[in-house]
Amino acid sequence: MQIFIILCLTLLSIDIDDLSAQLHLDTGMAYMQQGLLEQAEEEFQQTLELSEEYHTAVLGLGMIHAMWQSWNRATDYFRQYMDTCPDDYRGFYELSKLYLETDKPDSAALMSDSAFIRSPTTPAIWLQSGKAWLKLGEMDSAEMWFSKGVQRQGSTCPESLVLLASVYRRTSRGAEAREILLPAVEAGYSPACWELARVYLGWEDYLRAGDAISRYLMLSPEGYYADSALLVLEELGESGKYIP
C-alpha cells in the first residue's frame, strides 16, 4: 500500500512539473512577442530546469540572443535545437536569418534550403530563401522564391511583392515593378511606396518619385527607410527637381 501511495505521489509530482514547464514556456513565448526579452529568457530557463523535454525553450533562447545580437550564443542554441529536433525546420530557419543578419548569405541560403526540405509549404521560408539569394546577387533564384510568395496570399505576401519588384527594378524591368507595386501603394503599404520611388528615380521622373517618397514618410515617419527618404527628398528639393 505504501509503495502504491509513493508511486501515485511521484506521478503527481511529474504531472505538476510538466504542467509548470508548459506554463513557463507559453509565458516565455508571450513575453518574447511583446519584446520583454529578459522576462522571456527567465521563463525559458525555468522551463528547462523543470523539464529538458521542452526543446522549444532552447529555440526561444536562441531567438532572444539573436535579438540581442549575441550571435555566438544564439548560434549555439540554434545548433543545439537542430541536433535535438533535426526534423523541425525552425532551427534551420532561425539560423538562416542569423547568417543573413551577420552578412553570411552563402550560409543563409544553405540553411534556408535545409528548412525548405523540412517544410516546403511554409511561405516564411520562401521569403527567407529569396532574401539570401538576393543578397548573393542571384536574381533568377530570388525572383523564383519571391514569385512563389506572392502567389500565396498571407502575411509574407506584401514583403515578397516589394522584394520581387526590387528584382524587376534591378534587372531593367521597371515597368513590371511599377505594375505590381501600385496596388500595394494604394492599399497603404509603405515599403511599396519607397520601392516605387526608387523605380521613378531610376527613370529620372522626379515629380512622381517625390510624391511616392512623401507618401512613404506620411505612412511611416519612423520607418526603416525614413532617414534615407528624407535625405533624397531634401536633395530633390535643393536641386529644384521636386517641388511639393
Side-chain angles (χ1 to χ4, degrees), residues 73-230:
R73 291 198 66 184
T75 300
D76 288 344
Y77 280 122
F78 291 147
R79 290 203 174 278
Q80 180 183 341
Y81 183 78
M82 289 157 57
D83 290 341
T84 307
C85 304
D87 295 328
D88 190 338
Y89 79 89
R90 292 178 296 174
F92 299 89
Y93 171 72
E94 293 295 338
L95 190 55
S96 176
K97 289 167 60 179
L98 184 152
Y99 281 143
L100 198 59
E101 189 72 20
T102 54
D103 201 27
K104 298 175 183 176
D106 284 321
S107 298
L110 181 63
M111 287 296 107
S112 64
D113 284 348
S114 296
F116 176 74
I117 290 171
R118 288 159 176 81
S119 185
T121 60
T122 300
I125 297 174
W126 309 342
L127 177 60
Q128 176 62 20
S129 295
K131 289 179 178 179
W133 289 111
L134 183 62
K135 186 74 172 179
L136 287 167
E138 297 288 344
M139 296 299 168
D140 289 343
S141 295
E143 181 177 343
M144 183 270 291
W145 286 113
F146 295 142
S147 296
K148 191 175 178 69
V150 170
Q151 292 166 10
R152 172 76 70 85
Q153 295 298 314
S155 60
T156 63
C157 181
E159 187 176 0
S160 297
L161 185 144
V162 170
L163 289 170
L164 178 60
S166 77
V167 172
Y168 289 161
R169 173 175 55 82
R170 297 179 201 200
T171 53
S172 303
R173 290 178 287 168
E176 292 179 56
R178 178 179 180 273
E179 182 179 353
I180 66 171
L181 286 168
L182 284 176
V185 169
E186 291 302 318
Y189 186 57
S190 61
C193 300
W194 174 243
E195 183 58 37
L196 183 61
R198 298 180 75 178
V199 172
Y200 288 141
L201 287 170
W203 291 347
E204 298 184 357
D205 186 342
Y206 300 118
L207 180 61
R208 287 195 289 183
D211 287 344
I213 293 172
S214 296
R215 185 175 183 125
Y216 171 80
L217 290 169
M218 180 186 68
L219 292 168
S220 296
E222 304 295 331
Y224 183 80
Y225 303 107
D227 290 341
S228 298
L230 279 170

